[in-house]
């Protein structure tokens, strides 16, 4: 359990550093130029000189300001890249000016609110960067009559819960259970808590927002428009602008709620409890949230052996009698008794979930600076079909073998299943039984230790593959995981973004791309996993293969290729190279071509389709449904319907590519580690050769296409393929 006293110190340090005079300013030009720019662009009525809100690296307070909101010690090392400046705005106008000045100086801007990003992307970067630290912008205005609260980005969830509780004991807000998480990152990333089955996510309860866009304009819902407003409700704020505040709808909470924590080990029949939990937790009363933690621990029964312990933690929007009666009927395997339960006010339950000692006063939620920043690694998954008994028993073995990484199962269902997947960028709604968080924390620094724990969590993630969502394997943005892909902001930014973007946002990724391209075409707001812009800033990259063409010509692949070439010399289609092959059969059979190493099969790039089904109906993707749409992309069209047309995603190709043909007789093998831009087609044949004993040898012809210039190709071939 956590004490509260030591938390006060860092905050005091912040107040002190805030008034340090500008004489500590760096002599470096970035600081000078930035402050000068701020002075011209900020329309500030504040009496504080703007130089005082900017911390350069040689300011003695720089390190304490930077560290005050680092919540993962993995990114608090001397080797972690540091910002050239930290800017701590006191007013919206400072944020507006900071955006314009960072843009003017051509420096990346990272935005930090509570600093809880699991991969620290709000305060480190491989590029030269500035941190815009929002901790001073943290006002909270609760309006019980209106049933709403305006919370600024730099406020913490604990502060928000406390301010709501001050005004009403029967109102609350459905967001996360860690009191120091920041409003800015939490809500823009989807934000969920222990009332999600009753009220959905935090983003399902956003009414309005204020954002500073790339042009430095302060916009609200009306002036930003519904597309951008949609995007910042789960698409990650850091891709679109600086969130200043959210207006949130308060929800009702009863005067008494009930919590409990019940633990079982494998020796105490935990497997049966987990099996039943998968059935009950996602379907029970919407007011009941049953989180389950699964952890390898030392067995108390079998000396020297390890076991798995499960802990079920509950929040119930009702009293203990109701809860015991409900679970007695639905979940007798748990054996819940009234003495396992604690009745309390909703605000006390938030303290309980945040691991404060019983009896801790709600004021503890105002403390912004915990003193327990561990080393952390998180990953996530979604489970759509229950894991079988055999599966669980296999999983226990693997968890015990790995030794430390735990799993947290968070049940969905209830309100989560009623909200359409496209309502917000967060797509993981109906059909998901529960979300898994992979969780490993450790206290001691050390490269080997860190490597070991990171490897453990990755192994467990890999072991879980058969049990979790597929195509795509989904993930939760707020559980940021750089293992699933990183954007390097180069020529492949769009392709790189697609890898993690589809996992986080599934089908909503396309709309996020369009919003991003429209509001920030130069990709100023970016981080390692932000939404990229569409290639060439062209939001019209998708085209129907039948567009404006007479039906008779529809099934000729060449037409398709020509559409790409005529409309844009920067786009192509990853399909076969024989121009007379028909589109219908080619793509419904999978369709492979010479840029498939880069962009996959033609079928991987189908966005929509029109077919005539056995009932003579003309159907699109939406009306045919995802099962049939899946089947016709590689399962052979003729088994299912008549394909009329495909809508295909065009892919970027450079204006000139390199082709060559080499013929050689060789014995050596071919490396499988070729660059993805390179396609190498090998024809191996028996040939006549003077000098060979029987006059025969093997001749290999290499046909090659490279998406780039010949100079780059030669370097690549020297590096990878000397022979
Ligand atoms: C201990 C702990 C407990 C957690 N519990 C929960 C939980 O119960 N439920 C849940 O959903 N998540 C939970 N999380 C995850 C958390 O919600 C996310 O990490 C969230 O992004 C953190 O927000 P932040 O403002 O604190 O983080 P930051 O690190 O400041 O920001 C996270 C991301 O949001 C961007 N961002 C931050 N502020 C702004 C802004 N004002 N404008 C635009 N972009 C911005 C950042 O650039 C960064 O990309 C938890 C994390 C931790 C460490």
């Amino acid at each position: 359990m956590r004490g509260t006293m030591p938390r006060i110190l860092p905050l005091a340090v912040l107040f002190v550093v805030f008034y340090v005079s500008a004489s500590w300013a760096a002599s470096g030009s970035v600081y000078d130029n930035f402050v000068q720019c701020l002075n011209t662009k900020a329309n500030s009525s504040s009496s504080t000189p703007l130089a005082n809100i900017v911390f350069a690296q040689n300011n003695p307070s720089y390190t304490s300001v930077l560290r005050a909101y680092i919540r993962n010690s993995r990114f608090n090392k001397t080797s972690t890249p540091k910002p050239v400046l930290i800017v701590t705005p006191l007013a919206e106008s400072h944020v507006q000016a900071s955006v314009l000045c960072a843009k003017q100086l051509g420096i990346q801007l990272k935005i930090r609110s509570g600093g809880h990003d699991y991969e620290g992307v709000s305060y480190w970067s491989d590029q030269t960067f500035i941190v815009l630290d929002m901790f001073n912008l943290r006002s909270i205005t609760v309006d019980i009559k209106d049933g709403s609260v305006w919370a600024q980005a730099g406020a913490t969830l604990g502060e928000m819960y406390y301010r709501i509780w001050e005004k009403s004991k029967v109102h609350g807000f459905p967001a996360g259970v860690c009191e120091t998480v920041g409003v800015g990152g939490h809500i823009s990333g989807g934000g969920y808590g222990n009332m999600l089955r009753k009220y959905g996510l935090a983003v399902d309860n956003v009414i309005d927002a204020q954002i500073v866009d790339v042009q430095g304009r302060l916009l609200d819902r009306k002036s930003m428009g519904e597309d951008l407003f949609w995007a910042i409700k789960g698409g990650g704020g850091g891709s679109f602008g600086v969130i200043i505040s959210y207006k949130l709808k308060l929800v009702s909470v009863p005067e008494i709620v009930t919590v409990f924590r019940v633990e079982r080990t494998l020796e105490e029949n935990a497997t049966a409890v987990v099996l039943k939990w998968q059935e009950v937790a996602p379907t029970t009363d919407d007011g009941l949230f049953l989180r389950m933690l699964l952890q390898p621990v030392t067995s108390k029964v079998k000396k020297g052996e390890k076991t798995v312990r499960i802990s079920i933690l509950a929040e119930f929007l009702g009293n203990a009698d109701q809860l015991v009666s409900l679970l007695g009927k639905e979940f007798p395997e748990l054996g819940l008794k009234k003495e396992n339960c604690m009745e309390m006010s909703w605000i006390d339950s938030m303290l309980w979930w945040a691991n404060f000692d019983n009896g801790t006063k709600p004021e503890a939620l105002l403390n912004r600076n915990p003193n327990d920043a561990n080393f952390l690694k998180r990953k996530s998954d979604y489970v759509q079909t229950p894991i079988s008994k055999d599966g669980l028993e296999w999983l226990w073995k693997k968890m015990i073998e790995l030794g430390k990484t735990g799993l947290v199962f968070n049940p969905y269902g209830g309100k989560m299943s009623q909200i359409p997947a496209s309502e917000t960028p967060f797509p993981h709604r109906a059909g998901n039984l529960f979300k898994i968080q992979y969780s490993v924390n450790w206290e001691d620094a050390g490269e080997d230790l860190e490597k070991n724990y990171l490897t453990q969590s990755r192994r467990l993630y890999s072991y879980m593959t058969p049990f979790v969502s597929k195509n795509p394997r989904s993930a939760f943005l707020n559980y940021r995981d750089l293992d699933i892909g990183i954007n390097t902001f180069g020529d492949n930014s769009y392709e790189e973004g697609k890898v993690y973007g589809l996992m986080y946002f599934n089908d909503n990724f396309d709309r996020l791309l369009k919003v991003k391209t429209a509001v920030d075409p130069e990709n100023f707001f970016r981080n390692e996993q932000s939404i990229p812009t569409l290639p060439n800033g062209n939001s019209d990259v998708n085209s129907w293969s039948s567009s404006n063409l007479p039906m008779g010509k529809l099934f000729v692949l060449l037409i398709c290729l020509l559409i790409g070439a005529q409309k844009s010399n920067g786009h192509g289609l990853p399909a076969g190279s024989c121009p007379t092959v028909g589109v219908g059969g080619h793509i419904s059979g999978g369709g492979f071509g010479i840029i498939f190493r880069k962009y996959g099969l033609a079928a991987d790039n189908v966005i929509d389709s029109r077919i005539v089904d056995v009932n003579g109906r003309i159907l699109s993707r939406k009306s045919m449904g995802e099962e049939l749409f899946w089947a016709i992309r590689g399962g052979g069209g003729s088994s299912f319907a008549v394909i009329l047309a495909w809508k295909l995603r065009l892919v970027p190709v450079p204006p000139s590519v390199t082709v060559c043909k080499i013929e050689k007789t060789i014995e050596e093998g071919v490396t499988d580690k070729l660059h993805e831009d390179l396609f190498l087609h090998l024809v191996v044949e028996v040939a006549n050769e003077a000098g060979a004993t029987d006059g025969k040898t093997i001749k290999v012809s290499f046909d090659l296409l490279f998406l780039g210039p010949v100079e780059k190709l030669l370097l690549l071939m020297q590096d990878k393929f000397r022979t």
Side-chain angles (χ1 to χ4, degrees):
M1 295 287 164
R2 300 189 304 207
T4 52
M5 220 278 287
R7 296 172 175 216
I8 293 161
L9 280 176
L11 191 62
V13 171
L14 273 187
F15 280 121
V16 174
V17 298
F18 184 67
Y19 290 103
V20 165
S21 105
S23 62
W24 291 112
S27 53
S29 62
V30 177
Y31 176 89
D32 292 338
N33 291 340
F34 193 85
V35 172
Q36 199 181 351
C37 175
L38 273 191
N39 278 319
T40 52
K41 300 229 186 291
N43 177 16
S44 177
S45 55
S46 159
S47 54
T48 309
L50 290 178
N52 284 11
I53 67 165
V54 185
F55 296 83
Q57 291 187 344
N58 64 349
N59 186 317
S61 303
Y62 171 91
T63 303
S64 58
V65 176
L66 180 63
R67 288 195 169 155
Y69 293 96
I70 292 185
R71 298 286 181 251
N72 187 346
S73 300
R74 267 201 300 139
F75 306 103
N76 194 8
K77 301 177 189 154
T78 39
S79 58
T80 310
K82 309 281 186 297
V84 277
L85 301 176
I86 308 168
V87 186
T88 60
L90 293 166
E92 288 89 339
S93 63
H94 298 169
V95 176
Q96 294 174 273
S98 299
V99 168
L100 295 175
C101 295
K103 227 169 56 169
Q104 186 173 303
L105 266 61
I107 300 182
Q108 187 186 13
L109 190 70
K110 286 287 188 110
I111 312 156
R112 181 164 76 171
S113 286
H116 281 62
D117 192 289
Y118 281 119
E119 300 279 12
V121 308
S122 53
Y123 53 85
W124 71 263
S125 170
D126 281 339
Q127 309 180 350
T128 305
F129 71 110
I130 293 172
V131 166
L132 184 68
D133 206 328
M134 301 290 286
F135 66 86
N136 284 314
L137 292 177
R138 55 171 187 264
S139 78
I140 295 165
T141 313
V142 180
D143 183 343
I144 295 294
K145 225 165 135 201
D146 185 48
S148 67
V149 51
W150 269 108
Q152 283 194 314
T156 62
L157 298 182
E159 288 170 332
M160 182 168 73
Y161 298 149
Y162 180 84
R163 297 297 168 207
I164 296 170
W165 171 80
E166 257 187 338
K167 293 258 170 97
S168 162
K169 308 296 177 259
V170 290
H171 287 88
F173 188 72
V177 297
C178 169
E179 80 287 6
T180 51
V181 164
V183 163
H186 180 74
I187 298 185
S188 64
Y192 85 97
N194 57 19
M195 294 198 286
L196 92 164
R197 303 192 63 256
K198 177 82 177 170
Y199 295 117
L201 306 172
V203 287
D204 300 325
N205 296 280
V206 173
I207 308 167
D208 204 338
Q210 285 185 304
I211 185 170
V212 170
D213 76 351
V214 70
Q215 295 170 50
R217 296 174 303 184
L218 179 64
L219 306 172
D220 64 4
R221 175 174 182 171
K222 199 160 167 215
S223 49
M224 79 178 83
E226 286 303 305
D227 276 335
L228 180 53
F229 181 62
W230 173 86
I232 57 170
K233 290 187 296 170
S239 297
F240 300 100
V242 184
I243 311 287
I244 299 292
S245 56
Y246 282 109
K247 184 179 184 185
L248 308 166
K249 187 168 72 201
L250 297 175
V251 300
S252 318
V253 294
E255 279 178 22
I256 293 292
V257 305
T258 306
V259 300
F260 70 75
R261 180 184 183 117
V262 170
E263 297 185 344
R264 296 274 186 281
T265 59
L266 295 182
E267 297 79 24
E268 294 162 326
N269 219 6
T271 309
V273 175
V274 179
L275 274 173
K276 193 61 184 277
W277 179 94
Q278 297 182 90
E279 203 183 292
V280 175
T283 55
T284 187
D285 188 296
D286 294 358
L288 176 58
F289 177 73
L290 292 170
R291 171 177 280 178
M292 183 157 64
L293 317 178
L294 305 96
Q295 193 72 45
V297 294
T298 306
S299 171
K300 288 184 186 148
V301 187
K302 296 181 188 157
K303 257 205 151 172
E305 284 191 27
K306 284 212 147 198
T307 184
V308 173
R309 181 187 65 209
I310 60 148
S311 312
I312 298 187
L313 282 76
E315 171 94 5
F316 178 58
L317 301 175
N319 66 33
D321 286 331
Q322 290 165 324
L323 179 57
V324 171
S325 154
L326 176 71
L327 289 183
K329 279 184 224 132
E330 292 189 350
F331 202 171
E333 295 78 357
L334 193 62
L336 184 73
K337 299 192 183 68
K338 195 164 175 196
E339 52 266 34
N340 301 131
C341 302
M342 282 188 286
E343 292 181 334
M344 53 183 69
S345 64
W346 174 75
I347 198 76
D348 283 341
S349 78
M350 296 318 279
L351 288 157
W352 182 85
W353 279 92
N355 282 336
F356 285 97
D357 292 327
N358 288 341
T360 304
K361 294 264 175 297
E363 282 67 26
L365 295 172
L366 299 177
N367 197 331
R368 297 171 62 85
N369 299 93
N371 58 348
D372 55 358
N374 277 335
F375 295 81
L376 316 172
K377 175 67 190 170
R378 297 291 187 273
K379 301 175 79 63
S380 59
D381 254 322
Y382 282 89
V383 175
Q384 294 165 339
T385 46
I387 305 173
S388 67
K389 185 164 183 273
D390 286 349
L392 288 175
E393 281 168 353
W394 181 80
L395 177 60
W396 306 150
K397 273 193 212 129
K398 294 294 173 195
M399 288 180 77
I400 289 171
E401 231 169 78
L402 292 171
K404 189 162 167 73
T405 307
L407 299 174
V408 183
F409 289 4
N410 289 290
Y412 276 26
K415 181 83 176 173
M416 289 296 284
S417 299
Q418 292 153 18
I419 298 173
S422 59
E423 186 79 14
T424 68
F426 176 98
H428 319 293
R429 307 281 188 166
N432 289 288
L433 296 176
F434 55 96
K435 174 179 63 195
I436 298 181
Q437 183 190 68
Y438 298 73
S439 161
V440 57
N441 294 3
W442 64 101
E443 284 173 11
D444 300 321
E447 250 177 61
D448 288 348
L449 209 58
E450 177 163 330
K451 203 166 150 207
N452 172 25
Y453 290 135
L454 295 184
T455 306
Q456 259 197 37
S457 63
R458 288 168 190 152
R459 284 218 182 117
L460 188 55
Y461 182 78
S462 146
Y463 294 148
M464 290 299 288
T465 310
F467 307 123
V468 298
S469 63
K470 293 167 188 60
N471 303 319
R473 186 169 180 170
S474 293
F476 177 39
L477 180 65
N478 265 356
Y479 292 168
R480 170 118 39 219
D481 176 10
L482 293 186
D483 296 349
I484 67 171
I486 291 189
N487 213 310
T488 52
F489 312 122
D491 290 346
N492 285 338
S493 174
Y494 166 70
E495 291 303 323
E496 288 169 350
K498 226 167 73 174
V499 176
Y500 55 81
L502 288 174
M503 294 179 78
Y504 285 137
F505 307 111
N506 300 178
D507 289 345
N508 293 330
F509 181 58
D510 266 357
R511 185 169 173 197
L512 286 170
L513 282 167
K514 286 184 183 137
V515 178
K516 169 72 182 182
T517 309
V519 303
D520 181 20
E522 303 294 323
N523 200 12
F524 172 72
F525 290 111
R526 61 186 189 274
N527 63 48
E528 289 64 21
Q529 284 189 335
S530 54
I531 306 294
T533 53
L534 285 162
N536 303 331
N538 176 6
S539 57
D540 185 26
V541 287
N542 306 317
S543 88
W544 282 93
S545 62
S546 60
S547 58
N548 305 328
L549 291 170
M551 279 294 283
K553 290 188 181 170
L554 173 64
F555 289 121
V556 180
L557 186 61
L558 182 61
I559 301 294
C560 240
L561 299 171
L562 282 176
I563 294 167
Q566 263 174 14
K567 284 207 171 169
S568 157
N569 64 5
H571 289 105
L573 273 174
S577 52
C578 170
T580 51
V581 168
V583 166
H586 180 74
I587 298 179
S588 64
F592 135 94
I594 52 178
I595 47 177
F596 91 108
R597 297 194 67 250
K598 176 85 175 168
Y599 295 116
L601 303 175
D604 297 329
N605 292 282
V606 174
I607 302 164
D608 206 337
S609 167
R610 278 196 212 111
I611 62 165
V612 179
D613 78 353
V614 70
N615 298 315
R617 295 173 305 182
I618 296 184
L619 303 175
S620 67
R621 175 176 186 169
K622 201 162 167 206
S623 47
M624 80 179 80
E626 287 301 306
E627 287 279 290
L628 180 52
F629 182 61
W630 175 84
I632 57 172
R633 285 175 296 155
S638 57
S639 300
F640 303 100
V642 180
I643 312 287
L644 287 181
W646 299 107
K647 185 178 185 185
L648 303 164
R649 185 180 299 114
L650 298 180
V651 299
V653 289
S656 60
V657 302
T658 307
V659 292
C660 50
K661 187 180 182 99
I662 306 162
E663 285 189 359
K664 247 184 170 186
T665 55
I666 55 163
E667 269 78 46
E668 293 89 345
V670 175
T671 174
D672 60 355
K673 289 196 179 130
L674 291 176
H675 193 280
E676 61 174 10
D677 282 340
L678 182 64
F679 174 82
L680 208 53
H681 184 234
L682 249 81
V683 178
V684 183
E685 57 185 321
V686 179
N688 291 324
E689 172 74 329
T693 46
D694 60 356
K696 299 264 182 206
T697 186
I698 300 289
K699 185 174 89 185
V700 182
S701 312
F702 295 82
D703 286 326
L704 177 159
L705 176 117
F706 178 62
L707 294 173
V710 67
E711 298 77 8
K712 209 167 153 195
L713 172 65
L714 288 175
L715 280 177
L716 188 72
M717 296 299 275
Q718 266 171 19
D719 183 25
K720 300 264 184 200
F721 206 45
R722 275 170 219 280
T723 50

